Amino acid sequence: MNDYHYLAEHSPAALLLVQATGTIIAANPAACRMLGRQREQLQALAVDDWLQHASQVLSVIAAAPNKAVAVTLYTGDGAQLAAQLHVRWSEHADHGRVASLALSRIATQARRTDDRARAARTAIEHMDEAAVLLDAEARIRALNPAYTRITGYTEAEALGQPLQLRDSHHEESFLLDLLAGLEAGQGWAGEMNSRRRAGEYYPAYVKITALDRADKDGDRLFVAVFRDLSADKAYEARIEYLAHYDTLTGLANRTLIEKRAELARIAVARDGRHLALLFLDLDGFKAVNDSLGHALGDELLCHVADRLRNAVSKTDIVARQGGDEFVILLDSISKPEDAAYVATRIQEKLRVPLTLGDQTVFTTASIGISCYPDDSQDLTTLLRNADMAMYRAKRQGHGRYVFYRPEMDANAHWMLQLRNNLHRALERDELHVYYQPFVDVTSGRVTGIEALLRWQSDELGMVSPSDFVPIAEETGLILEVGEWVLRQACQQLQRLHAQGYDHLRVAVNLSARQFRQTDLVAQIAAVLEQTGLDGRHLELEITETVLMEQAGATLDTLHALQALGVAVALDDFGTGYSSLSYLRRFPITYLKVDKSFVDGIPGEKGDLTITRTIVAMARSLGIRVTAEGVETLEQRKWLRHWHCEEAQGYLYSLPLAADDLEWLLSNHEVLPLGNETGTLASEPTQLSKE
């Protein structure tokens, strides 16, 4: 009996050699034990007696050789056995085309006669697993081709050399100690580290059996069969990664941040510190996917992820919740106010202009903050609270952060009250239109007015537009209310024109739902005709998100409005995905710089740069610029220095009722009240330092 035959006969792996018809030619003892039959019984079986759905299985393995196939086997006691066949086809000297079948992945083959020895050699040579015959010193006496494929050693290099196997601690004596402890017929199975010829170690699943015979010199012999687990380990690592990380951005996912938050909660509870959860949602992200495409949308998310990482410390965790939502865990802060500092830094990072392809965009985010242990000691509740605060921030405007407050829990009831009362607000005359002037930054003269909707509810008191406008939009009531505001604003401007202020224009905001009306242009034309207002005195304000949705239809609508003489203003510019290309493409007359940028003038370098860039960009395209939220003389000085044409804000006037507006215009030709204008000290020097 040669070494190959001996290796197959004593292998712990179950092996069969079968003809193309499924007839078993040879089986080793391990296969006999698995199938519960004697070798002679197996060789006498028809294929349907040992293999379920035999014809289909044979067709599969014939059509796709060298493939693992899941099958059901019939055992001698009538039971069914689920197994996996590793199949390799080859040509046999006596039996023609034969298949070597390794059951349960690890295999050798055997035969009782010289024919069986040749079959065993065929099976061993075509195994995917490495098989070696070892002596007591772990030296290799025989090996199969799979060993050379897996390790890189040639047969000549390997024979007579110690098998390179170590335990997980890389103890070289482990294998020798293991062999010394095995009695004849005993076996061991487990993971070890095997060495390739190039020098690196790789994980392997190893089965070792001590044989019941010695070689001619009396040395004990062992069979070792092992499989390379590198691919399995890599797959497991990938699965582990996918379970805890976002594949697009590489950030942690919600599962990982929850685990880390629990560990952080335990730590801060012990140390008496705090942790904070920041729930962040990008403002108007849908517009980038709708207009620029998902590829650029994904690219934007990756850039945002990088900026978020750079805005927090190395111990903090940034996770992607999904879509354009992110969660940030500040795992150890001394007081909740520290979270506000981080939120501000995040906003500054996000506001830096970003180039996507040939597009320049500006991003902002709404951030909600909840803290442990002040807001809750339960992580799920903390996350819900931060989410709730984020929605409050979004309702208050773009680029803001809001801390969770317990009164937000009553928000659902409050919103239900708003919804119920809003439907009756028009018929109760609770809705009013206020007006805030546009002022020429250089001369101080009023150039126009913006119509602003206000709700003074008899039951709820004064309700903020940030609370009721989203409800009106959601319910569709905004269509009726919006047309009413448009008519009121046009009528009021006509009254002002009759009083001699015929140079003024009126701006009216259009929501996304209003702008999508198929009869919008006809509706505006009708209001202009009914009120007698010339279309060139009407300005309609839309947001970037509205502009970028369904760009083709939007362009058609804007051209139709332009034909009526109506001007279009782009509101809150810089807070969404602002792009030079669509300013060139769409007929825009006015650009409104968002208050969140004006607030940072002159102290915040980022806001200073963004505002100056927007003004310069608009002027280069012949678009007039209106700065929103101007509250200080210092802000006005900088805007005038950059040649920003218009401004509005509390420096000039609060929103006023119609009667108060008429009084203001009749009593004050120049705003702000008082004549302090001031100049910038060393303006060129200051600008050169930015």
Side-chain angles (χ1 to χ4, degrees):
M1 181 181 295
N2 62 30
D3 286 337
Y4 271 104
H5 186 194
Y6 200 90
L7 179 60
E9 280 293 297
H10 294 85
S11 171
L15 299 163
L16 298 174
L17 188 68
V18 302
Q19 293 178 322
T21 60
T23 301
I24 297 174
I25 303 170
N28 74 341
C32 293
R33 289 192 297 272
M34 177 180 288
L35 294 174
R37 302 175 189 269
Q38 297 297 319
R39 184 175 290 165
E40 292 77 5
Q41 292 175 315
L42 287 175
Q43 293 172 336
L45 288 176
V47 64
D48 291 326
D49 293 333
W50 66 274
L51 179 63
Q52 188 181 73
H53 304 304
S55 59
Q56 295 92 322
V57 172
L58 291 175
S59 297
V60 169
I61 64 177
N66 306 328
K67 178 180 180 181
V69 181
V71 298
T72 299
L73 305 176
Y74 298 126
T75 63
D77 58 4
Q80 294 182 1
L81 175 66
Q84 189 176 52
L85 301 183
H86 286 264
V87 183
R88 282 188 180 272
W89 289 95
S90 60
E91 293 296 324
H92 191 279
D94 298 324
H95 299 287
R97 184 169 173 77
V98 296
S100 300
L101 305 181
L103 308 185
S104 299
R105 297 177 177 250
I106 298 181
T108 56
Q109 283 281 353
R111 287 187 60 182
R112 182 176 50 190
T113 63
D114 290 342
D115 286 344
R116 289 207 304 271
R118 288 196 301 271
R121 184 182 186 91
T122 299
I124 292 172
E125 288 180 348
H126 290 86
M127 284 171 55
D128 289 327
E129 293 77 16
V132 293
L133 185 68
L134 303 175
D135 62 19
E137 299 301 318
R139 291 188 295 265
I140 300 174
R141 296 291 188 87
L143 56 88
N144 70 341
Y147 179 82
T148 64
R149 290 196 302 270
I150 292 173
T151 67
Y153 288 104
T154 65
E155 184 174 4
E157 291 172 329
L159 289 176
Q161 299 299 316
L163 178 63
Q164 299 289 327
L165 285 176
R166 296 179 179 181
D167 68 346
S168 59
H169 301 292
H170 301 297
E171 294 290 339
E172 294 185 4
S173 62
F174 177 80
L175 180 57
L176 293 175
D177 294 340
L178 175 62
L179 297 181
L182 289 178
E183 299 293 337
Q186 289 184 334
W188 178 91
E191 287 191 22
M192 298 181 72
N193 293 295
S194 182
R195 184 178 181 275
R196 302 190 201 277
R197 188 177 187 277
E200 79 274 15
Y201 279 84
Y202 65 94
Y205 182 75
V206 183
K207 283 188 176 182
I208 300 176
T209 302
L211 304 184
D212 57 2
R213 75 153 183 134
D215 65 5
K216 61 183 180 180
D217 297 321
D219 287 338
R220 301 175 61 214
L221 296 176
F222 305 84
V223 171
V225 178
F226 56 95
R227 179 166 57 93
D228 185 356
L229 295 178
S230 299
D232 294 343
K233 295 293 185 181
Y235 179 75
E236 290 172 3
R238 179 63 175 169
I239 294 298
E240 178 71 12
Y241 179 86
L242 293 176
H244 294 96
Y245 291 92
D246 174 52
T247 55
L248 174 64
T249 63
L251 296 176
N253 62 14
R254 178 166 177 168
T255 300
L256 180 58
I257 206 167
E258 286 179 349
K259 291 180 180 179
R260 291 292 299 271
E262 177 60 23
L263 294 175
R265 184 190 66 81
I266 296 171
V268 299
R270 181 185 62 243
D271 299 337
R273 293 174 66 81
H274 301 262
L275 65 82
L277 281 177
L278 279 61
F279 198 107
L280 180 150
D281 182 89
L282 298 180
D283 296 321
F285 175 73
K286 183 177 182 295
V288 102
N289 279 336
D290 290 346
S291 62
L292 303 182
H294 291 284
L296 288 182
D298 288 348
E299 184 179 342
L300 174 64
L301 291 175
C302 291
H303 283 293
V304 168
D306 290 339
R307 292 184 176 186
L308 293 180
R309 288 190 192 98
N310 293 330
V312 301
S313 70
K314 293 186 181 299
T315 60
D316 299 326
I317 301 296
V318 182
R320 184 182 176 210
Q321 173 86 351
D324 62 333
E325 294 180 341
F326 299 83
V327 176
I328 301 170
L329 170 66
L330 307 181
D331 65 354
S332 183
I333 56 177
S334 59
K335 56 186 182 299
E337 289 76 13
D338 293 342
Y341 172 74
V342 176
T344 300
R345 189 163 66 232
I346 288 172
Q347 298 287 19
E348 292 172 351
K349 294 280 187 183
L350 293 180
R351 283 176 178 169
V352 176
L354 176 68
T355 300
L356 298 177
D358 60 350
Q359 310 288 331
T360 300
V361 299
F362 302 85
T363 60
T364 61
S366 300
I367 303 175
I369 306 171
S370 65
C371 299
Y372 170 92
D374 305 65
D375 298 328
S376 176
Q377 297 192 16
D378 174 69
L379 295 175
T380 300
T381 304
L382 277 177
L383 190 61
R384 179 185 63 83
N385 291 345
D387 189 11
M388 192 182 306
M390 182 275 293
Y391 277 104
R392 176 63 62 90
K394 194 169 285 288
R395 287 198 300 272
Q396 291 181 2
H398 295 144
R400 301 175 186 272
Y401 67 84
V402 169
F403 277 89
Y404 166 78
R405 293 290 180 264
E407 55 266 25
M408 291 181 185
D409 288 324
N411 187 60
H413 177 67
W414 165 248
M415 298 303 285
L416 181 61
Q417 284 185 295
L418 290 183
R419 185 183 297 268
N420 292 337
N421 282 273
L422 185 58
H423 282 282
R424 298 189 292 271
L426 262 179
E427 60 188 57
R428 292 176 175 177
D429 293 325
E430 295 178 350
L431 295 180
H432 309 280
V433 180
Y434 278 51
Y435 302 91
Q436 188 173 31
F438 297 127
V439 178
D440 184 282
V441 173
T442 302
S443 68
R445 297 180 64 84
V446 177
T447 56
I449 54 177
E450 179 179 5
L452 301 169
L453 181 62
R454 295 293 183 264
W455 180 17
Q456 178 67 47
S457 170
D458 294 339
E459 181 179 339
L460 304 174
M462 181 63 77
V463 182
S464 169
S466 63
D467 287 332
F468 74 81
V469 170
I471 295 176
E473 178 87 0
E474 177 187 343
T475 60
L477 190 62
I478 193 68
L479 301 180
E480 179 183 357
V481 171
E483 184 178 2
W484 177 81
V485 171
L486 177 66
R487 183 172 282 102
Q488 292 290 314
C490 291
Q491 290 173 348
Q492 175 60 32
L493 189 64
Q494 280 290 66
R495 284 193 290 270
L496 292 176
H497 282 184
Q499 296 172 26
Y501 306 109
D502 55 3
H503 66 289
L504 298 181
R505 74 184 191 281
V506 64
V508 179
N509 289 277
L510 287 184
S511 73
R513 192 155 187 169
Q514 287 176 274
F515 193 81
R516 288 195 297 266
Q517 295 178 95
T518 56
D519 63 342
L520 174 66
V521 177
Q523 181 187 113
I524 292 171
V527 170
L528 291 174
E529 182 178 358
Q530 293 163 10
T531 59
L533 184 69
D534 191 318
R536 62 191 176 90
H537 294 298
L538 175 62
E539 172 189 323
L540 298 176
E541 294 188 1
I542 61 176
T543 65
E544 295 177 66
T545 301
V546 172
L547 187 69
M548 296 173 74
E549 288 180 349
Q550 300 176 342
T554 297
L555 187 60
D556 291 342
T557 300
L558 294 180
H559 282 311
L561 292 173
Q562 189 179 45
L564 294 176
V566 175
V568 174
L570 197 56
D571 198 11
D572 299 335
F573 188 80
T575 62
Y577 301 91
S578 309
S579 170
L580 178 63
S581 65
Y582 69 65
L583 289 181
R584 289 172 174 162
R585 179 182 179 188
F586 295 108
I588 303 298
T589 306
Y590 294 92
L591 203 64
K592 300 192 73 175
V593 181
D594 188 69
K595 181 181 184 298
S596 62
F597 298 123
V598 177
D599 284 344
I601 299 173
E604 297 294 335
K605 182 178 179 181
D607 291 343
L608 205 68
T609 301
I610 291 174
T611 305
R612 184 180 62 182
T613 301
I614 292 173
V615 173
M617 179 173 62
R619 286 179 58 82
S620 70
L621 296 172
I623 300 174
R624 295 178 61 82
V625 180
T626 303
E628 298 179 301
V630 178
E631 298 181 356
T632 69
L633 288 170
E634 190 73 11
Q635 291 169 346
R636 187 186 70 166
K637 293 173 190 175
W638 281 100
L639 292 168
R640 186 179 60 197
H641 174 74
W642 294 328
H643 306 294
C644 177
E645 292 90 352
E646 285 185 333
Q648 68 178 140
Y650 289 175
L651 174 66
Y652 302 103
S653 173
L654 276 67
L656 302 171
D659 292 343
D660 294 331
L661 173 67
E662 293 176 12
W663 179 89
L664 179 70
L665 292 174
S666 64
N667 287 275
H668 300 284
E669 293 184 4
V670 176
L671 297 177
L673 301 182
N675 196 31
E676 181 182 355
T677 57
T679 59
L680 293 175
S682 303
E683 290 173 347
T685 303
Q686 290 193 28
L687 286 172
S688 66
K689 292 180 180 179
E690 295 174 12

